[in-house]
Amino acid sequence: MDKTNWKLLELLEQNGRLTYAELGKLVHLTAPAVAERIRKLEESGVITGYSAQVNLEKVGIPITALVECQVYRTKEREFKTLIMSLGEVIECYNVTGPYAFVLKVGVKSMSKLDALLERLIDLSDTNTMMIMTTPVKRIMPLNIAQDS
Amino acid sequence: MDKTNWKLLELLEQNGRLTYAELGKLVHLTAPAVAERIRKLEESGVITGYSAQVNLEKVGIPITALVECQVYRTKEREFKTLIMSLGEVIECYNVTGPYAFVLKVGVKSMSKLDALLERLIDLSDTNTMMIMTTPVKRIMPLNIAQDS
DNA sequence: ATTGAAATTACCGTTGA
DNA sequence: TCAACGGTAATTTCAAT
């Protein structure tokens, strides 16, 4: 992980479809050299994939929320199975503290959110926070390289 | 947003570097036809960008946490400015409820997390949940198209 | 369909441990 | 000396018109 690789990661975070030639210009290498570095980053698991970023509002998902779930002791396995089967769940974090799980969900309407919470409430106590804005969204911290 | 566009979005969510030719085979269209559809999706703001996915552990960020911040009434603007300047903040959500902001942060060490919380505590009361696992991570809900 | 650009492969040279 | 890395060139595939 030299300075060039950090730069490549930053560039690919910002635009995952940059060509090797374009990346090469930005890091002062030729296209094959860049391709080889990226191949190694992928092979070693540093880069796990690439994905398009989608505006949820524009695909009919105007409502997103964070749902904290205090799962009943005996229902943990069942809960995990459930949330992995729910398409509305965009992200799920298993965390420390009384709320063992925090979900980020996306829905078409408040009634859909209600229906979703109804399904969760059999297995957990929930606390829902509606997301109003997302001032920051990155894929990794900034300034990792130089940060001691 | 016909069925083909949904399929394209799903495919690009899974692999944002698929070529138009490859996408074309998967949706039974020619490459130029796919290119035109994707150009429109980008132009209309449905697709907002592309990015690489990075394994944070492998780049020296073994610790991630969710931090709920109950920001002091008079410090909201200052708080927002601060979190947007902090590289450790990967995601920030402005939400309803007493905890006005929920952050996802990534750090190299517990002492770094401590230092980060020290900076936040001047402007807010915080509650920190360490992320242990991430059972689900997507960019949009599943089954949007057929979902009523 | 055609043209230019990009990806991919193979091969060679340089460097530094 | 040899292993790692980058450059060059040729071929194939892709993008764009």
Side-chain angles (χ1 to χ4, degrees), chain B residues 30 98 110:
Chain B
T30 64
M110 278 300 187

Side-chain angles (χ1 to χ4, degrees), chain A residues 107-126:
Chain A
V107 291
K108 293 189 152 168
S109 64
M110 277 301 189
S111 62
K112 290 276 178 198
L113 179 58
D114 186 50
L116 177 61
L117 293 173
E118 278 296 325
R119 298 196 60 182
L120 296 176
I121 216 161
D122 293 334
L123 306 175
S124 68
D125 286 332
T126 66

Side-chain angles (χ1 to χ4, degrees), chain A residues 6 26 38 43 45 47 51 64 82 92 94 108 116-117 119 121 124-125 130-132 144 147-148:
Chain A
W6 285 112
L26 295 165
I38 288 171
E43 207 161 67
I47 293 174
S51 102
T64 53
L82 175 63
C92 170
N94 183 11
K108 293 189 152 168
L116 177 61
L117 293 173
R119 298 196 60 182
I121 216 161
S124 68
D125 286 332
M130 306 305 299
I131 296 174
M132 294 186 290
I144 306 179
D147 184 12
S148 65

